[in-house]
Amino acid sequence: MTEQQNNWKQLIQEKVSRRNFLRGMSVMGAGAAAAVALPAGVLQAAAPALVAAAAAKAQAGLAFSPIAPSTTDDIVLPEGFSYQIIIKRGDVFTKDGKTFGDNADWTGWFPIDMLEGGSSTEEGLLVVNNEYVNSLLVSNYSGEGDKTVDQINAEKNAIGFAVVHLRKVDGLWTVVTDSDYGRRFDGRTPIALSGPVAGTTVVGGATEVIGTLGNCSGGMTPWMTGLSCEENYQDYYGEDSLNEQNPAQGWQADAANVQPPEHFGWVVEIDPFTGVAKKRTALGRFRHENVAIGIGKSGKVVAYMGDDKRDEVVYKFISEAIYDASNREANLDILDSGTLYAADFSKGVWIPVVWEGNEETLGDPSKVGGYTLTSQADVLTYAAQAARALGATRTDRPEDIEIHPETGDVYIAFTNNSAHGNFHGQITRLIETDGDHESLEFGWDIFAVGGPQSGFSSPDNLIFDGAGNLWMVTDISSSSINKGIYQFQGNNSLFMLPTNGENAGKAFQFASGPLDCELTGPTWLGNDTLFLAVQHPGENSASLEELTSHWPEGGDAQPRSGVVAIVGPFNNA
Ligand code: FEO
Ligand code: CA
Ligand code: CA
Ligand code: CA
């Protein structure tokens, strides 16, 4: 297979034209009625982005009337839905007075009674990632000169992830600030390094590291822990310790507390009930977006993961041990042993990313970006270089991956890659052979294509509802939002896409976020509540005097990222 044949852009173009052809056939077979109801996608390039809301609702059998794109500085929702702010940057949420960090991303709900088999929707622990900080708002850094140690510490305190104890009182969510569970894991928290890389040379022998960084999206495990994913770690201490670095966040000004880059870029597993957190090195080190867990036919745990960087690849990890549904304790370290694989989309195979048997290729620095790899620990630490050298397909920034609750198909959001001329992204569907997550062969197709014809651009976090509909938030970057080819969508938004029936793959807009924000971290709570994070509102503000958003407090207030609960008649059980 040549590099040309394993070229993502070419593979996508082939799938899109094949999809066109198949659609054309089905329309001819089913007659004119089917043509009217065709799902959004390449065939509807000339159609308007949104038909009249009421007509769309009736046509699609939706529980809501889709909204129009908006540039309002608020969360805009369909009629009958409303939102409550749960927690926002700066709110005290622990009994020792710690405040909630900036730029909330992933949220995971742990019912307070779940260890006893309960599923409370009235009280629980919400684990929330705080991906990064807006320095203007968090440390009041003007952009001139070095940051002070105090400014750097303020930023370290506002990043990482939080365990927030929530309780519903008289129908409204309240933070239980005197809880024993409330905790923050931030840029200065000691966290164990676990699995095959722990204690090895490539991490300086460390079995514990200082801090967690770039925690973007995440995932829930069937054994009731959370997985928080370190994504853009390179901004803090650099990409690696082998090359000269100039990380963007300016924390190197606090020279006494600079940490090795190899201590970041991992998946952190958190048990919110005990506060035990471990970086799981067997899952590889790269810019982790999220983790979606499936159980294979033999009972092994399979973790799907994307490396959200231009031209990087899709991975999965298969555990060595079998998942034990009847014994939570037995699974708590199951992610420490297993095999990491990377996807070759041209052949439809999963490639083991392993040192053994690949010593000649992986031991040649010219094939692995100049790195000198000599062990499996090195391979896991520089996983992207190894995966590429072994033939994994370089793709267009894989963001969230989620598994369809009924079909088991693996949906992957490829957000965009302007370097390849892919400006609006796609959602693809990976179908494992025999429907087995442990399979090493797969097929794939395209589920939805971003662009003006479908109404959305730059898909990011995904979540299925109980009826099998896919909910998707978008991440058009702050530098592009409401401009040029991205103007059609307005602010970043939340869409619902049915996965079967005549509207499969068609995007219906449910919500629009405040100015400059990205909506992140959707999590269902029962049948009538959706937790959602509002990340980086007002990110384009040039100074505290020229703020571009005042969400949520309005007036002249600073924008505050945070988490909301959207309530209404979703009816999607
Ligand atoms: Fe932090 Fe890939 O988004
Ligand atoms: Ca983000
Ligand atoms: Ca993301
Ligand atoms: Ca993103």
Side-chain angles (χ1 to χ4, degrees):
M1 185 64 58
T2 66
E3 197 165 314
Q4 188 59 29
Q5 286 167 308
N6 194 6
N7 177 292
W8 181 246
K9 184 176 181 182
Q10 191 177 321
L11 292 169
I12 284 279
Q13 283 169 349
E14 284 167 10
K15 289 283 181 189
V16 169
S17 47
R18 173 90 180 137
R19 186 164 171 264
N20 262 333
F21 175 71
L22 292 174
R23 287 248 169 91
M25 294 294 284
S26 74
V27 169
M28 281 191 283
V36 175
L38 258 187
V42 285
L43 282 187
Q44 286 194 325
L50 196 75
V51 293
K57 179 182 175 183
Q59 179 197 357
L62 301 176
F64 63 92
S65 295
I67 65 162
S70 170
T71 55
T72 302
D73 189 25
D74 199 358
I75 301 175
V76 179
L77 297 168
E79 202 182 325
F81 293 82
S82 61
Y83 74 91
Q84 184 205 335
I85 297 159
I86 302 293
I87 193 165
K88 59 189 186 305
R89 174 176 64 83
D91 288 352
V92 172
F93 74 103
T94 70
K95 64 180 180 185
D96 58 351
K98 288 192 170 141
T99 54
F100 189 68
D102 200 11
N103 286 343
D105 202 301
W106 179 70
T107 68
W109 175 250
F110 298 80
I112 199 72
D113 54 358
M114 78 187 297
L115 296 183
E116 292 79 50
S119 53
S120 177
T121 55
E122 299 284 312
E123 183 172 357
L125 306 179
L126 192 71
V127 178
V128 187
N129 283 353
N130 295 111
E131 185 180 15
Y132 68 104
V133 297
N134 180 328
S135 295
L136 179 68
L137 304 175
V138 169
S139 59
N140 200 11
Y141 174 66
S142 65
E144 301 291 323
D146 284 350
K147 287 176 182 166
T148 65
V149 172
D150 283 348
Q151 285 176 318
I152 292 168
N153 284 339
E155 295 187 357
K156 287 179 176 174
N157 289 348
I159 205 166
F161 56 90
V163 180
V164 182
H165 188 163
L166 296 178
R167 185 182 293 144
K168 224 175 189 177
V169 179
D170 297 330
L172 288 178
W173 289 103
T174 56
V175 176
V176 183
T177 52
D178 60 352
S179 169
D180 289 332
Y181 295 115
R183 281 189 183 89
R184 191 172 69 192
F185 297 80
D186 60 33
R188 294 191 287 179
T189 310
I191 298 180
L193 202 58
S194 192
V197 181
T200 65
T201 312
V202 70
V203 289
T207 54
E208 184 178 90
V209 303
I210 301 300
T212 185
L213 301 170
N215 305 71
C216 188
S217 188
M220 303 286 284
T221 69
W223 53 95
M224 305 169 209
T225 60
L227 299 169
S228 175
C229 293
E230 296 186 322
E231 190 192 44
N232 286 309
Y233 61 87
Q234 75 286 348
D235 289 342
Y236 306 94
Y237 304 117
E239 186 77 50
D240 59 58
S241 46
L242 308 175
N243 298 289
E244 198 177 327
Q245 306 285 327
N246 186 23
Q249 198 65 23
W251 287 4
Q252 64 273 30
D254 179 11
N257 290 299
V258 167
Q259 304 297 322
E262 286 80 5
H263 290 187
F264 307 92
W266 304 105
V267 173
V268 191
E269 182 168 6
I270 163 74
D271 182 341
F273 294 100
T274 60
V276 172
K278 296 180 182 178
K279 298 197 182 189
R280 299 292 184 192
T281 61
L283 275 56
R285 175 176 169 269
F286 45 89
R287 294 188 200 175
H288 281 278
E289 173 67 27
N290 88 322
V291 182
I293 300 275
I295 303 295
K297 286 196 172 168
S298 84
K300 292 182 175 180
V301 176
V302 180
Y304 293 93
M305 304 172 285
D307 182 354
D308 181 10
K309 187 181 174 191
R310 281 183 185 173
D311 304 332
E312 290 304 344
V313 315
V314 174
Y315 296 85
K316 79 172 177 185
F317 165 89
I318 305 180
S319 69
E320 193 176 299
I322 302 291
Y323 167 63
D324 185 345
S326 64
N327 180 2
R328 180 176 190 250
E329 294 290 317
N331 307 304
L332 288 180
D333 288 317
I334 201 167
L335 297 179
D336 274 347
S337 306
T339 306
L340 184 69
Y341 297 84
D344 176 344
F345 284 90
S346 68
K347 294 181 187 158
V349 296
W350 290 103
I351 301 167
V353 185
V354 294
W355 173 251
E356 207 177 309
N358 293 309
E359 294 88 343
E360 200 174 319
T361 302
L362 298 180
D364 179 349
S366 73
K367 293 180 176 159
V368 288
Y371 291 80
T372 301
L373 311 183
T374 62
S375 67
Q376 183 61 19
D378 293 347
V379 167
L380 289 168
T381 303
Y382 305 112
Q385 285 78 13
R388 281 186 232 141
L390 295 173
T393 306
R394 304 185 67 174
T395 69
D396 290 346
R397 295 186 53 203
E399 292 260 22
D400 254 28
I401 303 180
E402 293 294 336
I403 299 171
H404 193 291
E406 287 147 24
T407 66
D409 295 345
V410 181
Y411 285 64
I412 309 172
F414 291 96
T415 196
N416 60 53
N417 186 343
S418 54
H420 285 178
N422 182 355
F423 298 104
H424 300 298
Q426 296 87 28
I427 301 172
T428 66
R429 191 164 41 190
L430 185 152
I431 301 143
E432 298 279 25
T433 301
D434 299 328
D436 185 359
H437 292 301
E438 291 170 42
S439 174
L440 298 184
E441 295 178 357
F442 63 87
W444 64 285
D445 63 12
I446 295 175
F447 171 66
V449 180
Q453 81 288 349
S454 51
F456 73 86
S457 178
S458 308
D460 196 322
N461 299 151
L462 308 174
I463 189 170
F464 286 99
D465 67 23
N469 301 305
L470 184 66
W471 295 70
M472 168 201 69
V473 290
T474 63
D475 178 15
I476 300 170
S477 72
S478 292
S479 58
S480 301
I481 193 100
N482 284 315
K483 289 183 197 152
I485 59 167
Y486 295 99
Q487 203 163 17
F488 72 91
Q489 195 197 277
N491 294 353
N492 274 314
S493 296
L494 169 63
F495 294 84
M496 187 276 256
L497 297 85
T499 60
N500 48 45
E502 62 186 15
N503 289 306
K506 186 167 184 172
F508 298 94
Q509 186 166 353
F510 178 82
S512 173
L515 285 165
D516 304 349
C517 94
E518 173 189 346
L519 298 175
T520 54
T523 285
W524 291 108
L525 190 55
N527 196 17
D528 62 357
T529 301
L530 179 70
F531 286 134
L532 192 66
V534 176
Q535 193 182 62
H536 59 74
E539 187 163 62
N540 288 328
S541 300
S543 70
L544 294 177
E545 290 70 46
E546 303 163 273
L547 297 167
T548 54
S549 168
H550 303 283
W551 188 87
E553 293 155 319
D556 294 330
Q558 283 188 9
R560 290 185 187 275
S561 54
V563 181
V564 302
I566 297 173
V567 293
F570 286 103
N571 298 324
N572 54 11

